[in-house]
Amino acid sequence: MCRRARGHRGAIASGRGVLAAARRAAAADPDGFARSRLAELCEDRVENPALAKALTEGDPFATGVLRAALAHLARAIGAVFASVGVCRFIVVGGFALAVGERYRQLLVEELDRQGCFGLSRERIDAMVALGAPDDDHGLIGAGRLLAARHPSAQGRVAR
């Protein structure tokens, strides 16, 4: 296992990964960055709150950065769908949920662009959803697993 968990798709399309990509893009294209809404929102350096806001406002510079990051996540989703047939992907994580529907829309667009194993745009759109904006996902999953394996806990676990 990598000590710093670098290079996996979650690190690339997560808040940290997109932030690192945005900083690299700003350094590589200072003029493009200077003309962006993202630059207007930044004080000293690019940070995730400004990046999320720029994305929700449709800033082309920030959108280009996120699209590049989502290409990797879309390839992973396409591979999982094609290999085992999972038909529902729920996107969670602070950054994705802060960007909200825009993150989901861009991911759906990228899945469609890559050709998600012959699915129509409508089917891809229905396949990707945002999770609840809370930190309960892991706890709910653990509770449901406990209830499934230990029927005596059934009435005590939220459904």
Side-chain angles (χ1 to χ4, degrees), residues 53-66:
K53 185 166 178 54
L55 284 161
T56 61
E57 293 178 6
D59 175 47
F61 184 88
T63 299
V65 170
L66 182 57

Side-chain angles (χ1 to χ4, degrees), residues 39-78:
E40 292 174 16
L41 294 168
C42 293
E43 291 178 19
D44 293 330
R45 65 186 261 168
V46 177
E47 297 293 346
N48 273 335
L51 182 55
K53 185 166 178 54
L55 284 161
T56 61
E57 293 178 6
D59 175 47
F61 184 88
T63 299
V65 170
L66 182 57
R67 280 186 192 280
L70 289 177
H72 303 287
L73 181 59
R75 272 195 292 283
I77 288 172

